[in-house]
Amino acid sequence: MEELRRQYNELNPGIYLYPCILKRETFFLDDDLGSVEAIFFYPNEYEYQEYEHNEFPIIYFIHGGGWCFGGEDVDHKLPRELCNKTKSIVVYPLYSLSPEAKYPIAVKQCYKILCRVEENAHKYRIDFNSLVVGGDSAGGNLAITTSLLCKMKNGPKIKKQILINPVTDTNLNTNSYLEFQEGFHLTKQQMAWFFNQYLENENQKNEIFVAPNKATIEQLANLPETLFLVGEFDVLKDEGLEFCEKLKKANVKVNSIVFPGAIHDFIMYKFLNNTNCCKEGTATIIGFIC
């Protein structure tokens, strides 16, 4: 696993095109959840004297990597850009990775950290009325589960939700899985492996916090306005579009966009930063937030 994580980091080295201020916070959660760090990306204006009494919008962004990889410098490109261009504080939880930490540890950690940030919003100078929750791939899955938990537990209140090629199901036999199962970056075999690392048993594949597509319309009702982005050549495309349709049936406002010719996580990788899809996708996210 250490070698796989090293290879993942080399695939997508950190990018520093977007200046911002990074600080780390450690959150001591319940005994079974341990202590978890979160990175806070602050816009440079945060330390300007003329802004010292200002509150800033918040984006709670959860990284992908199949619940097994990522979180450090490797995945900071988009959080930095969102912080820099929207003048928001981006909170980035470093949830415990699998297989060392199995489901539902990451789900509970992501929700608990968000609650702790809300409790201390004044300390961080955060305007929590602006809360946007988002994530990519497995992080998109955790963003959905965070939204579901916020609804079930009556808070925190999320204004908008950003889903970048999220994992929404455990069915590996959709048309997009069969058509793009290998040769388009994320493969069917890799997704099967990720689920094996993340889950304790097969029965968990039917739980809505693993496969949100299995949620009822009633369970999805009143989720936040959602922006959904996915590449044309992504094994997760069909399940994501199915999830969007369920959200619409639940009367959730959804804008779903399929980017022609794009692969999985086309917005996240440094080597795709200058592609039209990456630029347009990022601009769409920023416009949605602002």
Side-chain angles (χ1 to χ4, degrees):
M1 184 58 70
E2 288 181 5
E3 174 61 19
L4 290 172
R5 287 173 180 156
R6 185 190 66 79
Q7 292 176 14
Y8 178 87
N9 291 345
E10 288 182 351
L11 174 69
N12 193 34
I15 189 167
Y16 302 101
L17 295 176
Y18 310 103
C20 52
I21 302 161
L22 271 66
K23 297 182 181 180
R24 287 176 177 258
E25 293 275 350
T26 300
F27 294 89
F28 298 95
L29 307 177
D30 302 335
D31 290 341
D32 61 329
L33 299 180
S35 61
V36 184
E37 279 194 324
I39 300 174
F40 284 63
F41 297 83
Y42 293 96
N44 289 335
E45 288 81 355
Y46 189 82
E47 294 190 342
Y48 292 175
Q49 186 172 0
E50 59 265 39
Y51 291 97
E52 63 182 347
H53 299 298
N54 284 37
E55 290 188 334
F56 290 78
I58 175 174
I59 303 168
Y60 191 68
F61 193 87
I62 308 174
H63 72 83
W67 306 281
C68 298
F69 308 136
E72 294 295 340
D73 185 62
V74 57
D75 288 319
H76 291 180
K77 181 181 82 74
L78 185 59
R80 279 180 170 274
E81 187 167 6
L82 296 181
C83 171
N84 181 271
K85 292 186 176 179
T86 69
K87 308 306 177 189
S88 300
I89 296 172
V90 178
V91 180
Y92 188 80
L94 299 177
Y95 58 87
S96 298
L97 300 176
S98 296
E100 295 89 344
K102 295 283 192 176
Y103 166 85
I105 295 297
V107 172
K108 293 180 179 180
Q109 288 176 341
C110 289
Y111 174 72
K112 286 281 189 178
I113 291 172
L114 181 61
C115 292
R116 293 290 178 85
V117 175
E118 182 185 39
E119 291 168 7
N120 293 280
H122 181 70
K123 166 188 168 184
Y124 300 123
R125 290 162 48 199
I126 287 174
D127 173 14
F128 233 81
N129 293 321
S130 65
L131 176 60
V132 176
V133 171
D136 69 287
S137 195
N141 174 276
L142 291 170
I144 296 168
T145 63
T146 299
S147 294
L148 286 168
L149 283 170
C150 287
K151 174 193 170 181
M152 293 175 179
K153 297 178 181 290
N154 295 315
K157 178 69 174 177
I158 301 172
K159 183 179 180 181
K160 293 180 179 180
Q161 177 176 239
I162 299 167
L163 305 178
I164 305 169
N165 42 253
V167 180
T168 61
D169 214 325
T170 50
N171 173 19
L172 305 186
N173 292 302
T174 63
N175 287 337
S176 57
Y177 260 112
L178 298 176
E179 189 173 359
F180 311 120
Q181 60 182 292
E182 57 181 337
F184 295 91
H185 183 50
L186 180 63
T187 70
K188 178 177 179 178
Q189 183 179 9
Q190 286 172 334
M191 279 305 303
W193 184 85
F194 284 134
F195 280 123
N196 286 337
Q197 305 307 307
Y198 183 50
L199 302 178
E200 291 276 11
N201 58 66
E202 286 291 312
N203 291 335
Q204 291 175 332
K205 289 185 176 181
N206 295 313
E207 297 185 19
I208 65 171
F209 296 114
V210 174
N213 263 343
K214 300 186 186 300
T216 65
I217 299 300
E218 183 180 3
Q219 288 171 320
L220 297 177
N222 299 314
L223 287 188
E225 179 183 356
T226 298
L227 174 65
F228 170 85
L229 309 176
V230 70
E232 178 185 9
F233 301 137
D234 189 341
V235 292
L236 303 180
K237 178 182 68 175
D238 286 356
E239 66 187 59
L241 291 172
E242 180 183 345
F243 182 69
C244 289
E245 289 305 310
K246 291 193 76 170
L247 287 176
K248 290 175 183 177
K249 289 179 181 178
N251 293 319
V252 175
K253 186 176 180 181
V254 180
N255 182 16
S256 57
I257 306 173
V258 178
F259 286 79
I263 60 171
H264 180 75
D265 255 355
F266 62 96
I267 291 176
M268 307 303 299
Y269 289 119
K270 178 182 178 182
F271 62 85
L272 297 175
N273 199 50
N274 291 320
T275 64
N276 289 334
C277 286
C278 182
K279 291 177 180 178
E280 292 171 12
T282 305
T284 301
I285 292 170
I286 292 169
F288 180 72
I289 292 170
C290 297

